[in-house]
Amino acid sequence: MNTYASFYQRSIHERDAFWAEQAELIDWQVKPTQICDYSKPPFAHWFVDGTTNLCHNAVDRHVKDRADQAALIYVSTETGQEVTYSFAQLHDEVQRMAAILQSLGVKQGDRVLIYLPMIAEAAFAMLACVRIGAIHSVVFGGFASHSLATRIDDATPVLVISADAGSRGGKVVPYKPLLDEAITLSQHKPKAVLMVDRGLTPFTSVPGRDHDYAGLREQHMNAQVPCVWLDAAHPSYTLYTSGTTGKPKGVQRDTAGYTVALAASMQHIFEGQAGQVYFSTSDIGWVVGHSYIIYGPLIAGMATLMYEGLPTRPHGGVWWELVEKYKVTHMFSAPTAVRVLKKQDPALLSKYDISSLKALYLAGEPLDEPTAQWIAEGLGKPIIDNYWQTETGWPILTVANGVQTMASKFGSPGVPMYGFNVKLLDDNSGEELTGAQEKGVVVIEGPLPPGCLQTLWGDDERFVKTYWQSVPGKLVYSTFDWGVRDEDGYFYILGRTDDVINVAGHRLGTREIEESISSHPNVAEVAVVGVADALKGQAAMAFVVAKDASALVDSAARLKLEGEIMKLVDSQLGAVARPSRVLFLSLLPKTRSGKLLRRAIQAVCENRDPGDLTTIDDPTPLHQIKEQLA
Ligand code: ATP
Ligand code: MG
């Protein structure tokens, strides 16, 4: 029997043999004979002499066996559009898009920046790029002109693909004026702009530069653009990290390693099979959208459901209604989205027939136990946490039920995935921690497995400097997350390395204090941040969003709730962990991908400039903090 333990050990100790087997999961034009070249660490070159194509593996190879099966199910509760594309239809649309790209001068190796809302054309565009070896760089549609301009300058695209507008909560959000402004701001000027006109809002075109997608599509209805066989290391795309901790980094991914890694993850981690339906609620602007809206499910021959809209509109059960309607088998979301649902009537979780659903996967931020319990009980389905990063492209820690049925533990994303040689390092001595319950920095011994970043776009030096450090005899990649391992080898992520606070010499993880505070019945969300304190070095401050705002009507009520929260922390963790203050906010400052912006809160509290806030979703809470501290 293949146990996960032996599977994992083989991935580390018989690395090349292991990945040569995984390589069988995809189609190659030329099969690789050399699996991993790690002669120039930390740069890993996977499947060195193989040639393949990501689009071929996601689309073309399925046309033979399942031309008429659903490939892309597009649902917008914003526009009411609902379309299913079969593999044959997706194949046609991608070829039309590829022909359009070529007609606009896009060649192999050129960058194409995709600045689109969640529309089917975004999927066509990504697939068309990798089909012809153009390198896509999807920029999340919620970013405004300044963020977009810096990304245009970093990626230097020949073409930008955009649309008139997105829509959020029924409100039209124009894109074109932001794009025009970004191109004015940027040093680099893309030669062409391809516009998808959704008819949501009028826009002005720049003659000679801007082109209309619908018109060009008509001209290329019968386009046949074959996949270009690419070297294994040919970059498939670049994608910027969320920017939670600072300037976003342009993660660069290869072609073959990524294709193999996703194919393997669909089998061993997600247990996805051709004909099933995968619904990831992420956005194509994030890594989850790349790996598990577009490429992973399609590589597995599954249909992928691409959704534009809110989880609460037209009603709080819309996701489950879609699960029923399309017989969704796999769902992928983020804890932050579940917390939004938590504010809705729990009866909505059982209103629809979700019997097709096998599991809900969650990633992106710590999954607190109350949230996990709530959704697990409400749905009656397994909830599978998985921990990874934009940089890695697929999960570092989770459970691999496709290899062996594994228990999940609340609070833990799971165990190291095959290929990831995960270690914990003492962050003072830099020494490896091997015992249970020892807290350290989560690092990965090189080489990183297939699918992870090759480098940072155009900046090998920053890649090496940012992520890699030498420990005796080897190079390790730092995740910049802090973790601990239990007796069974399950990891717990305690927060980012810069989230550790030092109160009068006691090192505390903000996550532990947050867990404690969130067990208070009137706490919907909480952030704990270490703030400079003359006396103690640092003091913990808590920022709370209350479930029931009526508990905050006057200062007496607020003081009462603050007192209750402090008492709770005292009793659970001890007085050293007690926050020096609890402030109440209407929402927490987060990135557009739902990640808490601790460094910005900290800066505001310490009266410093919060720095680059281009990825912030809504700055209101930062103003609220300022007011309350004043
Ligand atoms: P930047 O690197 O630009 O600051 P970011 O780290 O927020 O941005 P991502 O790559 O999207 O950008 O996020 C990865 C990080 O998210 C991880 O390093 C970790 O801190 C957190 N994370 C992801 N999944 C989980 C999880 N399941 N549990 C706990 N934390 C998680
Ligand atoms: Mg990061």
Side-chain angles (χ1 to χ4, degrees):
M1 202 189 77
N2 201 2
T3 63
Y4 183 70
S6 64
F7 188 79
Y8 176 78
Q9 287 307 325
R10 188 163 141 75
S11 77
I12 303 298
H13 301 296
E14 293 166 57
R15 182 187 71 203
D16 287 7
F18 177 90
W19 285 107
E21 271 163 33
Q22 304 307 315
E24 298 289 334
L25 294 170
I26 73 161
D27 276 6
W28 300 85
Q29 192 222 11
V30 175
K31 272 199 185 176
T33 60
Q34 189 187 356
I35 301 302
C36 181
D37 175 6
Y38 196 52
S39 58
K40 292 188 204 73
F43 299 93
H45 186 173
W46 284 100
F47 308 111
V48 182
D49 50 346
T51 58
T52 185
N53 183 286
L54 191 44
C55 183
H56 168 85
N57 278 286
V59 182
D60 297 48
R61 75 160 164 164
H62 302 300
V63 172
K64 187 160 64 74
D65 295 333
R66 49 186 64 87
D68 300 326
Q69 274 179 27
L72 177 66
I73 301 165
Y74 177 69
V75 177
S76 171
T77 51
E78 297 288 336
T79 62
Q81 212 192 347
E82 211 162 321
V83 196
T84 298
Y85 299 86
S86 66
F87 274 99
Q89 288 167 324
L90 181 61
H91 187 234
D92 289 343
E93 293 295 351
V94 171
Q95 292 192 86
R96 287 168 195 146
M97 183 67 86
I100 295 172
L101 300 188
Q102 287 176 333
S103 76
L104 296 174
V106 176
K107 294 191 194 61
Q108 184 174 328
D110 285 347
R111 272 81 55 214
V112 174
L113 190 139
I114 298 174
Y115 180 61
L116 284 173
M118 288 289 283
I119 55 177
E121 287 78 3
F124 307 158
M126 291 166 74
L127 290 161
C129 284
V130 296
R131 185 175 192 85
I132 60 171
I135 302 164
H136 62 68
S137 186
V138 181
V139 175
F140 176 58
F143 283 133
S145 45
H146 175 75
S147 321
L148 184 54
T150 48
R151 287 159 177 78
I152 290 175
D153 277 331
D154 196 69
T156 61
V158 297
L159 172 72
V160 177
I161 307 180
S162 192
D164 54 339
S167 179
R168 199 175 148 77
K171 211 175 131 252
V172 171
V173 185
Y175 276 37
K176 184 63 167 35
L178 300 181
L179 173 62
D180 287 340
E181 198 186 323
I183 297 178
T184 310
L185 289 171
S186 63
Q187 302 281 306
H188 172 82
K189 308 293 177 197
K191 280 202 275 296
V193 171
L194 179 63
M195 288 296 300
V196 180
D197 185 356
R198 309 177 73 191
L200 292 178
T201 187
F203 61 93
T204 45
S205 280
V206 176
R209 188 196 73 182
D210 297 359
H211 304 266
D212 172 47
Y213 169 70
L216 287 171
R217 182 175 170 275
E218 282 301 315
Q219 290 173 28
H220 294 282
M221 279 312 274
N222 302 314
Q224 291 195 335
V225 180
C227 290
V228 177
W229 298 111
L230 299 165
D231 287 344
H234 183 78
S236 56
Y237 66 79
T238 68
L239 176 65
Y240 296 89
T241 58
S242 312
T244 311
T245 50
K247 189 172 166 251
K249 303 174 271 284
V251 163
Q252 177 184 319
R253 202 92 69 207
D254 72 354
T255 292
Y258 187 55
T259 312
V260 171
L262 290 185
S265 74
M266 291 312 295
Q267 181 157 327
H268 308 312
I269 299 174
F270 297 103
E271 303 176 86
Q273 274 157 25
Q276 293 181 324
V277 183
Y278 202 104
F279 175 16
S280 165
T281 69
S282 183
D283 187 284
I284 49 147
W286 310 125
V287 68
V288 177
H290 283 61
S291 293
Y292 299 113
I293 295 178
I294 306 297
Y295 295 116
L298 292 176
I299 288 172
M302 299 171 83
T304 184
L305 196 158
M306 187 174 175
Y307 176 71
E308 179 186 50
L310 301 178
T312 50
R313 202 175 160 274
H315 56 79
V318 59
W319 281 358
W320 320 115
E321 192 184 356
L322 289 172
V323 171
E324 175 180 297
K325 179 165 182 188
Y326 291 104
K327 303 213 167 26
V328 171
T329 50
H330 298 65
M331 259 188 98
F332 196 130
S333 192
T336 189
V338 176
R339 279 185 222 114
V340 169
L341 295 179
K342 233 165 120 182
K343 294 177 191 147
Q344 310 281 313
D345 180 1
L348 290 167
L349 296 180
S350 48
K351 188 173 167 196
Y352 298 92
D353 175 5
I354 58 165
S355 54
S356 58
L357 190 66
K358 292 175 183 299
L360 169 64
Y361 300 86
L362 296 174
E365 47 175 325
L367 175 62
D368 57 286
E369 197 155 335
T371 301
Q373 296 274 17
W374 180 83
I375 191 77
E377 278 160 27
L379 294 178
K381 302 284 179 183
I383 305 301
I384 303 179
D385 189 2
N386 55 118
Y387 159 83
W388 46 300
Q389 308 182 303
T390 308
E391 289 86 344
T392 65
W394 59 284
I396 305 168
L397 300 173
T398 184
V399 287
N401 286 322
V403 180
Q404 179 198 342
T405 306
M406 293 165 83
S408 285
K409 298 190 186 189
F410 275 128
S412 165
V415 301
M417 283 299 98
Y418 51 91
F420 286 102
N421 194 358
V422 181
K423 314 252 160 170
L424 289 170
L425 291 192
D426 184 284
D427 63 348
N428 288 322
S429 68
E431 265 164 50
E432 192 179 332
L433 302 169
T434 49
Q437 306 306 341
E438 293 184 304
K439 296 175 188 178
V441 182
V442 180
V443 302
I444 304 161
E445 189 180 327
L448 293 173
C452 296
L453 77 171
Q454 291 176 290
T455 184
L456 292 175
W457 175 252
D459 205 343
D460 286 350
E461 199 187 319
R462 187 174 175 212
F463 168 66
V464 177
K465 270 206 185 136
T466 304
Y467 297 106
W468 296 88
Q469 69 192 78
S470 308
V471 299
K474 52 202 171 214
L475 275 177
V476 298
Y477 166 93
S478 179
T479 62
F480 299 106
D481 289 311
W482 205 50
V484 62
R485 181 173 29 205
D486 72 9
E487 290 70 18
D488 302 323
Y490 280 65
F491 280 70
Y492 296 75
I493 299 296
L494 301 171
R496 296 173 189 255
T497 48
D498 50 6
D499 296 346
V500 180
I501 42 184
N502 197 327
V503 182
H506 300 276
R507 296 163 61 72
L508 303 164
T510 50
R511 167 102 194 261
E512 296 166 88
I513 309 176
E514 286 166 3
E515 288 265 355
S516 166
I517 294 178
S518 67
S519 66
H520 188 285
N522 195 15
V523 171
E525 259 193 288
V526 56
V528 170
V529 171
V531 177
D533 182 278
L535 219 59
K536 299 181 186 164
Q538 271 187 316
M541 278 182 74
F543 302 85
V544 166
V545 179
K547 266 188 203 147
D548 175 11
S550 70
L552 304 173
V553 278
D554 54 30
S555 57
R558 280 197 294 275
L559 271 174
K560 180 168 170 282
L561 186 53
E562 180 171 11
E564 285 173 20
I565 289 172
M566 289 185 170
K567 244 202 215 127
L568 187 69
V569 177
D570 273 8
S571 69
Q572 292 184 350
L573 300 175
V576 307
R578 181 202 306 152
S580 63
R581 285 194 67 181
V582 180
L583 300 189
F584 297 98
L585 308 175
S586 59
L587 74 167
L588 296 177
K590 293 194 175 174
T591 63
R592 289 176 178 274
S593 52
K595 289 161 188 289
L596 193 61
L597 278 162
R598 276 208 181 71
R599 67 176 168 89
I601 304 181
Q602 191 178 42
V604 170
C605 292
E606 295 177 351
N607 221 348
R608 287 183 287 112
D609 172 17
D612 183 7
L613 286 180
T614 50
T615 61
I616 198 167
D617 188 36
D618 181 346
T620 313
L622 293 182
H623 303 314
Q624 291 176 344
I625 296 172
K626 236 186 214 150
E627 278 164 25
Q628 293 190 39
L629 289 177

